Amino acid sequence: MKEMKENGISLQGHTVTHPALGNTDPTVQNSELADSKTYLDSNLGQDTISFAYPSGSYTDETIAIAERNNFKMALT
């Protein structure tokens, strides 16, 4: 990942274990998003701002959790 980033590739989040977030408990959703962001930020020296919803699955609560974790955008 570090080599890819050094060569101009942007790496963003996709959760840790890739659950369908729309069918997942909010506590688990928060851990998946927060842990993914923390890992990428600390290992790549960046502020991860976006992620892709695994399987395109999310709810209104998922969006709120993403916002609380300082993600600026999410994609399906």
Side-chain angles (χ1 to χ4, degrees):
M1 289 187 326
K2 289 178 183 177
E3 182 179 343
M4 291 170 69
K5 183 178 180 203
E6 289 169 2
N7 286 286
I9 296 172
S10 175
L11 297 158
Q12 299 296 315
H14 191 53
T15 70
V16 177
T17 64
H18 311 96
L21 295 174
N23 302 323
T24 306
D25 179 84
T27 303
V28 173
Q29 290 185 51
N30 187 70
S31 293
E32 287 283 334
L33 293 172
D35 293 350
S36 173
K37 182 173 179 13
T38 298
Y39 178 85
L40 292 170
D41 289 355
S42 64
N43 283 286
L44 298 176
Q46 68 181 25
D47 181 20
T48 305
I49 61 167
S50 67
F51 75 97
Y53 295 108
S55 304
S57 177
Y58 67 95
T59 64
D60 288 342
E61 188 162 21
T62 310
I63 294 169
I65 291 168
E67 289 173 349
R68 285 195 299 273
N69 280 285
N70 299 314
F71 285 103
K72 307 291 185 239
M73 85 174 123
L75 309 161
T76 59

